[in-house]
Protein backbone atom coordinates (compact mmCIF):
# COMPACT_ATOMS: atom_id res chain seq x y z
CA UNK A 1 0.00 0.00 0.00
CA UNK A 2 1.24 3.47 -0.88
CA UNK A 3 -0.14 6.90 0.02
CA UNK A 4 -1.03 9.49 -2.59
CA UNK A 5 2.03 11.49 -1.52
CA UNK A 6 4.34 8.47 -1.90
CA UNK A 7 2.98 7.64 -5.37
CA UNK A 8 3.25 11.32 -6.33
CA UNK A 9 6.95 11.37 -5.41
CA UNK A 10 7.67 7.94 -6.90
CA UNK A 11 6.35 8.83 -10.34
CA UNK A 12 7.00 12.60 -10.22
CA UNK A 13 3.31 13.37 -10.73
CA UNK A 14 1.22 15.85 -8.76
CA UNK A 15 -1.40 14.74 -6.27
CA UNK A 16 -3.78 16.89 -8.28
CA UNK A 17 -3.28 14.70 -11.33
CA UNK A 18 -3.85 11.55 -9.28
CA UNK A 19 -7.11 13.00 -7.98
CA UNK A 20 -8.08 13.82 -11.55
CA UNK A 21 -7.41 10.25 -12.67
CA UNK A 22 -9.59 9.04 -9.79
CA UNK A 23 -12.36 11.42 -10.81
CA UNK A 24 -12.24 10.03 -14.36
CA UNK A 25 -12.48 6.48 -13.03
CA UNK A 26 -9.01 5.39 -14.16
CA UNK A 27 -7.81 4.48 -10.65
CA UNK A 28 -9.25 4.24 -7.17
CA UNK A 29 -7.80 4.74 -3.70
CA UNK A 30 -9.00 3.31 -0.41
CA UNK A 31 -9.16 4.09 3.28
CA UNK A 32 -7.41 1.99 5.92
CA UNK A 33 -8.98 2.03 9.41
CA UNK A 34 -7.21 4.37 11.85
CA UNK A 35 -5.03 5.81 9.07
CA UNK A 36 -5.34 9.45 8.01
CA UNK A 37 -4.40 9.16 4.36
CA UNK A 38 -5.98 7.39 1.40
CA UNK A 39 -3.77 4.71 -0.16
CA UNK A 40 -3.34 2.84 -3.45
CA UNK A 41 -3.02 -0.93 -3.60
CA UNK A 42 -0.60 -2.76 -5.91
CA UNK A 43 -3.15 -2.99 -8.75
CA UNK A 44 -3.81 0.77 -8.65
CA UNK A 45 -0.06 1.51 -8.72
CA UNK A 46 0.32 -0.71 -11.80
CA UNK A 47 -2.54 1.13 -13.51
CA UNK A 48 -0.89 4.46 -12.71
CA UNK A 49 2.29 3.21 -14.41
CA UNK A 50 0.26 2.22 -17.48
CA UNK A 51 -1.51 5.59 -17.52
CA UNK A 52 1.78 7.49 -17.39
CA UNK A 53 3.27 5.43 -20.22
CA UNK A 54 0.22 6.06 -22.40
CA UNK A 55 0.24 9.80 -21.53
CA UNK A 56 3.90 9.95 -22.59
CA UNK A 57 2.70 8.51 -25.91
CA UNK A 58 0.26 11.46 -26.09
CA UNK A 59 -2.85 9.29 -25.69
CA UNK A 60 -5.79 11.38 -24.35
CA UNK A 61 -7.18 10.48 -20.92
CA UNK A 62 -10.59 9.52 -22.36
CA UNK A 63 -8.93 7.01 -24.68
CA UNK A 64 -6.75 5.63 -21.87
CA UNK A 65 -9.89 4.74 -19.93
CA UNK A 66 -11.08 2.63 -22.88
CA UNK A 67 -7.67 0.99 -23.38
CA UNK A 68 -7.28 -0.05 -19.74
CA UNK A 69 -10.76 -1.60 -19.52
CA UNK A 70 -10.81 -3.26 -22.95
CA UNK A 71 -10.59 -7.00 -22.25
CA UNK A 72 -10.60 -7.95 -25.95
CA UNK A 73 -8.06 -5.20 -26.79
CA UNK A 74 -9.83 -4.60 -30.12
CA UNK A 75 -10.78 -1.02 -29.16
CA UNK A 76 -7.28 -0.48 -27.81
CA UNK A 77 -5.84 -1.49 -31.18
CA UNK A 78 -8.18 0.91 -33.04
CA UNK A 79 -7.26 3.79 -30.74
CA UNK A 80 -3.51 3.21 -31.08
CA UNK A 81 -3.79 2.87 -34.87
CA UNK A 82 -5.68 6.18 -35.03
CA UNK A 83 -3.06 7.92 -32.91
CA UNK A 84 -0.30 6.42 -35.05
CA UNK A 85 -2.02 7.80 -38.17
CA UNK A 86 -2.24 11.28 -36.60
CA UNK A 87 1.44 11.11 -35.64
CA UNK A 88 2.32 10.17 -39.22
CA UNK A 89 0.48 13.31 -40.39
CA UNK A 90 2.47 15.43 -37.97
CA UNK A 91 5.74 13.85 -39.09
CA UNK A 92 4.79 14.51 -42.71
CA UNK A 93 4.05 18.14 -41.82
CA UNK A 94 7.46 18.48 -40.17
CA UNK A 95 9.07 16.84 -43.19
CA UNK A 96 7.43 19.38 -45.49
CA UNK A 97 8.71 22.29 -43.42
CA UNK A 98 12.18 20.74 -43.33
CA UNK A 99 12.13 20.38 -47.11
CA UNK A 100 11.23 24.06 -47.52
CA UNK A 101 13.98 25.16 -45.15
CA UNK A 102 16.45 22.93 -47.01
CA UNK A 103 15.45 24.56 -50.28
CA UNK A 104 15.92 28.05 -48.83
CA UNK A 105 19.35 27.10 -47.46
CA UNK A 106 20.36 25.69 -50.83
CA UNK A 107 19.23 28.82 -52.71
CA UNK A 108 20.98 31.13 -50.25
CA UNK A 109 24.20 29.13 -50.51
CA UNK A 110 23.99 29.43 -54.29
CA UNK A 111 23.39 33.19 -54.13
CA UNK A 112 26.30 33.71 -51.71
CA UNK A 113 28.64 31.66 -53.87
CA UNK A 114 27.60 33.67 -56.94
CA UNK A 115 27.77 36.92 -54.92
CA UNK A 116 24.15 37.74 -55.71
CA UNK A 117 21.81 38.90 -52.97
CA UNK A 118 18.64 36.82 -52.66
CA UNK A 119 15.68 38.69 -51.09
CA UNK A 120 13.56 35.89 -49.65
CA UNK A 121 11.05 38.33 -48.14
CA UNK A 122 9.54 39.29 -51.48
CA UNK A 123 6.48 37.27 -52.36
CA UNK A 124 7.71 36.48 -55.87
CA UNK A 125 11.02 35.21 -54.58
CA UNK A 126 9.33 33.09 -51.90
CA UNK A 127 6.97 31.52 -54.42
CA UNK A 128 9.91 30.81 -56.69
CA UNK A 129 11.77 29.08 -53.87
CA UNK A 130 8.74 26.96 -53.04
CA UNK A 131 8.63 25.62 -56.61
CA UNK A 132 12.30 25.13 -57.46
CA UNK A 133 13.97 21.80 -58.14
CA UNK A 134 15.26 20.06 -55.02
CA UNK A 135 19.00 20.26 -54.28
CA UNK A 136 21.13 17.41 -55.68
CA UNK A 137 21.55 14.08 -53.85
CA UNK A 138 18.01 13.90 -52.51
CA UNK A 139 15.20 11.50 -53.21
CA UNK A 140 12.46 13.97 -52.25
CA UNK A 141 9.83 15.44 -54.54
CA UNK A 142 11.05 18.05 -57.01
CA UNK A 143 8.58 20.75 -56.08
CA UNK A 144 6.96 22.11 -52.91
CA UNK A 145 3.58 23.74 -53.24
CA UNK A 146 1.99 26.46 -51.16
CA UNK A 147 -0.94 24.24 -50.17
CA UNK A 148 1.53 21.75 -48.65
CA UNK A 149 3.02 24.56 -46.59
CA UNK A 150 -0.43 25.67 -45.43
CA UNK A 151 -1.40 22.12 -44.45
CA UNK A 152 1.87 21.63 -42.57
CA UNK A 153 1.46 24.86 -40.60
CA UNK A 154 -2.16 24.02 -39.81
CA UNK A 155 -1.24 20.65 -38.29
CA UNK A 156 1.63 22.05 -36.22
CA UNK A 157 -0.06 25.22 -34.98
CA UNK A 158 -3.03 23.24 -33.66
CA UNK A 159 -0.68 21.60 -31.17
CA UNK A 160 -0.09 24.79 -29.17
CA UNK A 161 -2.65 27.54 -29.68
CA UNK A 162 -1.58 30.73 -27.90
CA UNK A 163 -3.67 33.92 -27.66
CA UNK A 164 -2.93 37.34 -26.23
CA UNK A 165 -5.72 38.47 -23.89
CA UNK A 166 -6.40 41.41 -21.60
CA UNK A 167 -7.84 40.68 -18.18
CA UNK A 168 -9.61 43.72 -16.70
CA UNK A 169 -8.96 44.89 -13.12
CA UNK A 170 -11.55 43.55 -10.70
CA UNK A 171 -12.65 43.21 -7.13
CA UNK A 172 -11.90 39.67 -5.99
CA UNK A 173 -13.34 37.25 -3.47
CA UNK A 174 -10.40 35.03 -2.52
CA UNK A 175 -10.06 31.77 -0.63
CA UNK A 176 -6.92 29.71 0.01
CA UNK A 177 -6.60 26.20 1.40
CA UNK A 178 -3.31 24.63 2.51
CA UNK A 179 -2.99 20.88 2.87
CA UNK A 180 -2.55 17.67 0.91
CA UNK A 181 -4.35 17.96 -2.46
CA UNK A 182 -5.78 21.40 -1.60
CA UNK A 183 -7.57 22.06 -4.90
CA UNK A 184 -10.75 20.13 -4.13
CA UNK A 185 -11.33 21.49 -0.60
CA UNK A 186 -10.72 25.02 -1.89
CA UNK A 187 -13.08 24.49 -4.82
CA UNK A 188 -15.91 23.31 -2.56
CA UNK A 189 -15.75 26.50 -0.49
CA UNK A 190 -15.57 28.78 -3.55
CA UNK A 191 -18.37 26.99 -5.43
CA UNK A 192 -20.59 27.28 -2.35
CA UNK A 193 -19.81 30.99 -2.15
CA UNK A 194 -20.67 31.49 -5.84
CA UNK A 195 -24.06 29.81 -5.38
CA UNK A 196 -24.89 31.52 -2.08
CA UNK A 197 -23.91 34.95 -3.44
CA UNK A 198 -26.02 34.23 -6.54
CA UNK A 199 -23.16 35.44 -8.75
CA UNK A 200 -24.63 34.04 -11.98
CA UNK A 201 -27.46 36.56 -11.53
CA UNK A 202 -25.77 39.57 -9.86
CA UNK A 203 -22.61 39.32 -12.01
CA UNK A 204 -23.22 37.15 -15.09
CA UNK A 205 -19.70 37.89 -16.38
CA UNK A 206 -17.94 36.63 -13.23
CA UNK A 207 -14.66 34.78 -13.76
CA UNK A 208 -12.88 32.18 -11.68
CA UNK A 209 -9.07 32.02 -11.43
CA UNK A 210 -6.84 29.69 -9.42
CA UNK A 211 -3.14 29.26 -8.66
CA UNK A 212 -0.74 27.42 -6.34
CA UNK A 213 0.04 29.40 -3.18
CA UNK A 214 2.51 28.23 -2.02
CA UNK A 215 3.71 26.03 -4.87
CA UNK A 216 4.37 22.38 -3.89
CA UNK A 217 8.02 21.63 -3.10
CA UNK A 218 9.86 18.36 -3.66
CA UNK A 219 9.27 15.96 -0.79
CA UNK A 220 6.56 18.16 0.72
CA UNK A 221 3.07 16.72 1.11
CA UNK A 222 1.25 19.93 1.79
CA UNK A 223 0.97 23.02 -0.38
CA UNK A 224 -1.62 25.68 -1.05
CA UNK A 225 -4.17 26.50 -3.73
CA UNK A 226 -6.01 29.82 -3.93
CA UNK A 227 -9.14 30.69 -5.90
CA UNK A 228 -10.13 34.17 -7.02
CA UNK A 229 -13.65 34.94 -8.22
CA UNK A 230 -14.58 38.37 -9.59
CA UNK A 231 -17.48 40.05 -7.76
CA UNK A 232 -19.48 43.33 -7.97
CA UNK A 233 -17.77 46.40 -6.48
CA UNK A 234 -20.46 46.82 -3.79
CA UNK A 235 -20.49 43.19 -2.64
CA UNK A 236 -19.42 42.30 0.91
CA UNK A 237 -18.10 38.89 1.94
CA UNK A 238 -17.72 36.94 5.16
CA UNK A 239 -14.84 34.84 6.48
CA UNK A 240 -13.22 32.62 5.39
CA UNK A 241 -13.59 34.51 2.07
CA UNK A 242 -11.39 37.61 1.75
CA UNK A 243 -11.60 40.71 -0.43
CA UNK A 244 -8.65 41.48 -2.74
CA UNK A 245 -8.00 43.63 -5.80
CA UNK A 246 -6.83 42.14 -9.08
CA UNK A 247 -4.72 44.54 -11.17
CA UNK A 248 -5.42 42.71 -14.44
CA UNK A 249 -3.20 43.22 -17.47
CA UNK A 250 -1.91 41.41 -20.56
CA UNK A 251 -1.62 37.63 -20.54
CA UNK A 252 -0.60 34.89 -22.92
CA UNK A 253 -3.40 32.30 -22.88
CA UNK A 254 -3.45 28.63 -23.86
CA UNK A 255 -6.55 26.45 -23.48
CA UNK A 256 -6.23 22.86 -22.20
CA UNK A 257 -8.57 20.07 -21.25
CA UNK A 258 -8.57 19.60 -17.50
CA UNK A 259 -5.75 17.25 -16.60
CA UNK A 260 -3.32 18.31 -19.33
CA UNK A 261 -1.20 20.31 -16.89
CA UNK A 262 1.92 18.88 -18.54
CA UNK A 263 1.36 21.62 -21.15
CA UNK A 264 2.42 24.31 -18.66
CA UNK A 265 6.14 23.75 -19.33
CA UNK A 266 6.09 23.96 -23.17
CA UNK A 267 3.66 26.89 -22.93
CA UNK A 268 6.04 28.83 -20.67
CA UNK A 269 9.00 27.97 -22.92
CA UNK A 270 7.11 29.10 -26.04
CA UNK A 271 6.05 32.36 -24.38
CA UNK A 272 9.59 33.14 -23.23
CA UNK A 273 10.81 32.78 -26.83
CA UNK A 274 8.22 35.21 -28.19
CA UNK A 275 9.80 38.09 -30.12
CA UNK A 276 7.06 40.64 -29.42
CA UNK A 277 6.19 39.96 -25.78
CA UNK A 278 8.18 38.95 -22.71
CA UNK A 279 7.04 37.25 -19.51
CA UNK A 280 6.38 39.72 -16.69
CA UNK A 281 6.49 37.78 -13.42
CA UNK A 282 4.29 39.56 -10.89
CA UNK A 283 1.63 39.20 -8.20
CA UNK A 284 -0.05 37.04 -7.07
CA UNK A 285 2.69 35.06 -5.39
CA UNK A 286 2.84 31.31 -5.80
CA UNK A 287 3.11 30.97 -9.56
CA UNK A 288 4.77 34.27 -10.42
CA UNK A 289 1.49 35.79 -11.55
CA UNK A 290 0.46 32.81 -13.69
CA UNK A 291 -3.18 31.81 -13.37
CA UNK A 292 -5.53 28.98 -14.30
CA UNK A 293 -8.98 30.17 -15.35
CA UNK A 294 -11.89 27.74 -15.26
CA UNK A 295 -13.95 28.05 -18.43
CA UNK A 296 -17.68 27.38 -18.81
CA UNK A 297 -18.00 28.01 -15.09
CA UNK A 298 -21.32 29.85 -15.54
CA UNK A 299 -23.01 26.77 -17.01
CA UNK A 300 -21.32 24.45 -14.56
CA UNK A 301 -22.56 26.40 -11.54
CA UNK A 302 -26.08 26.86 -12.93
CA UNK A 303 -26.62 23.31 -14.10
CA UNK A 304 -24.21 21.45 -11.86
CA UNK A 305 -23.19 19.62 -15.00
CA UNK A 306 -19.90 17.77 -15.25
CA UNK A 307 -19.16 18.71 -18.83
CA UNK A 308 -15.77 18.44 -20.54
CA UNK A 309 -13.77 20.72 -18.28
CA UNK A 310 -11.40 23.24 -19.84
CA UNK A 311 -8.93 25.70 -18.41
CA UNK A 312 -7.07 28.69 -19.77
CA UNK A 313 -3.44 28.68 -18.67
CA UNK A 314 -2.47 32.36 -18.26
CA UNK A 315 1.05 33.83 -18.22
CA UNK A 316 1.53 37.55 -17.43
CA UNK A 317 3.34 39.37 -20.25
CA UNK A 318 4.31 42.83 -21.47
CA UNK A 319 5.50 44.30 -24.76
CA UNK A 320 9.22 43.99 -25.35
CA UNK A 321 11.07 47.27 -25.40
CA UNK A 322 12.25 48.17 -28.90
Amino acid sequence: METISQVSQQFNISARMLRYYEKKGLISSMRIPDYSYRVYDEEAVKRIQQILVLRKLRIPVQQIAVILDDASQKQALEILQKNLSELDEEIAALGTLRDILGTLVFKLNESIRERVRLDILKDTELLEILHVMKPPKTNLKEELYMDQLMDANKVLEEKMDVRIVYLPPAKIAAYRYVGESPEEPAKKVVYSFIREANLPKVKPDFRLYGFNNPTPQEGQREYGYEFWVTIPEDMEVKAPIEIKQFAGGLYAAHCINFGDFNEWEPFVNLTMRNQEYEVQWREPEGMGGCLEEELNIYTKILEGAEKAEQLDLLIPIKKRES
Side-chain angles (χ1 to χ4, degrees):
M1 298 288 184
E2 297 186 52
T3 66
I4 290 177
S5 180
Q6 289 171 333
V7 172
S8 173
Q9 293 177 30
Q10 178 182 348
F11 295 116
N12 192 27
I13 179 176
S14 70
R16 185 182 190 185
M17 284 301 303
L18 291 171
R19 294 291 191 193
Y20 174 69
Y21 293 150
E22 283 198 51
K23 183 178 180 181
K24 292 299 182 182
L26 297 180
I27 55 174
S28 59
S29 59
M30 62 182 66
R31 288 279 188 191
I32 297 179
D34 301 322
Y35 191 67
S36 302
Y37 300 103
R38 298 187 69 86
V39 297
Y40 294 115
D41 61 15
E42 184 178 353
E43 181 63 26
V45 173
K46 286 181 179 178
R47 282 178 71 92
I48 291 169
Q49 288 178 303
Q50 292 175 312
I51 292 166
L52 296 179
V53 169
L54 292 169
R55 288 299 290 137
K56 287 290 185 183
L57 294 174
R58 296 166 60 175
I59 308 298
V61 170
Q62 294 83 353
Q63 294 180 354
I64 291 176
V66 176
I67 292 172
L68 293 181
D69 296 326
D70 179 21
S72 70
Q73 296 192 319
K74 290 181 179 179
Q75 287 180 290
L77 177 60
E78 291 177 2
I79 288 171
L80 295 180
Q81 286 178 328
K82 182 176 183 295
N83 280 273
L84 179 61
S85 176
E86 291 174 353
L87 186 59
D88 284 339
E89 290 180 8
E90 186 176 345
I91 291 172
L94 285 168
T96 298
L97 295 181
R98 188 184 187 284
D99 292 346
I100 293 170
L101 285 172
T103 301
L104 292 174
V105 168
F106 175 75
K107 291 291 292 183
L108 284 170
N109 274 329
E110 288 288 299
S111 65
I112 291 171
R113 188 161 45 247
E114 297 173 5
R115 297 184 179 182
V116 176
R117 179 175 177 78
L118 177 65
D119 188 351
I120 63 173
L121 299 181
K122 289 184 178 180
D123 288 351
T124 54
E125 295 287 356
L126 181 57
L127 288 173
E128 179 186 348
I129 291 171
L130 289 173
H131 292 82
V132 295
M133 297 291 288
K134 293 302 298 178
K137 300 181 181 179
T138 68
N139 294 319
L140 302 174
K141 292 181 180 180
E142 292 185 347
E143 295 183 348
L144 294 170
Y145 297 98
M146 184 61 78
D147 58 348
Q148 288 179 292
L149 178 62
M150 296 295 288
D151 289 343
N153 278 323
K154 181 179 179 182
V155 171
L156 298 175
E157 289 173 359
E158 285 175 354
K159 300 301 178 183
M160 182 63 74
D161 175 54
V162 178
R163 298 137 31 226
I164 304 300
V165 299
Y166 174 76
L167 303 184
K171 185 177 181 179
I172 295 294
Y175 176 74
R176 181 172 73 115
Y177 183 92
V178 177
E180 189 171 349
S181 303
E183 295 86 358
E184 287 303 316
K187 179 180 288 188
K188 288 180 181 178
V189 173
V190 172
Y191 274 30
S192 294
F193 165 77
I194 291 172
R195 294 189 184 98
E196 291 169 7
N198 200 15
L199 276 184
K201 182 175 181 180
V202 301
K203 188 173 175 59
D205 63 342
F206 77 94
R207 304 175 76 158
L208 181 63
Y209 307 110
F211 55 97
N212 290 329
N213 184 18
T215 298
Q217 302 298 316
E218 185 176 353
Q220 182 178 336
R221 286 183 176 179
E222 296 188 349
Y223 61 99
Y225 199 83
E226 184 167 339
F227 277 105
W228 284 5
V229 56
T230 60
I231 60 175
E233 288 295 330
D234 59 352
M235 179 173 283
E236 301 295 330
V237 302
K238 297 179 181 179
I241 306 295
E242 299 179 58
I243 292 292
K244 295 186 178 182
Q245 291 294 325
F246 176 40
L250 282 181
Y251 287 79
H254 170 56
C255 183
I256 64 167
N257 291 320
F258 190 91
D260 292 339
F261 297 108
N262 56 296
E263 296 190 28
W264 259 120
E265 183 177 356
F267 177 36
V268 170
N269 292 337
L270 183 64
T271 305
M272 293 183 72
R273 293 197 303 269
N274 189 278
Q275 299 299 308
E276 188 176 355
Y277 296 92
E278 62 181 311
V279 177
Q280 185 184 34
W281 305 116
R282 56 180 181 241
E283 298 288 340
E285 295 180 0
M287 290 170 51
C290 295
L291 302 169
E292 297 170 343
E293 180 178 8
E294 289 203 34
L295 305 179
N296 306 321
I297 190 67
Y298 184 94
T299 303
K300 181 188 264 187
I301 292 294
L302 280 183
E303 301 177 0
E306 287 297 333
K307 299 184 183 297
E309 297 180 74
Q310 290 184 307
L311 297 174
D312 256 352
L313 308 183
L314 299 163
I315 300 175
I317 57 173
K318 65 177 182 179
K319 278 275 193 179
R320 290 190 181 273
E321 296 181 4
S322 54

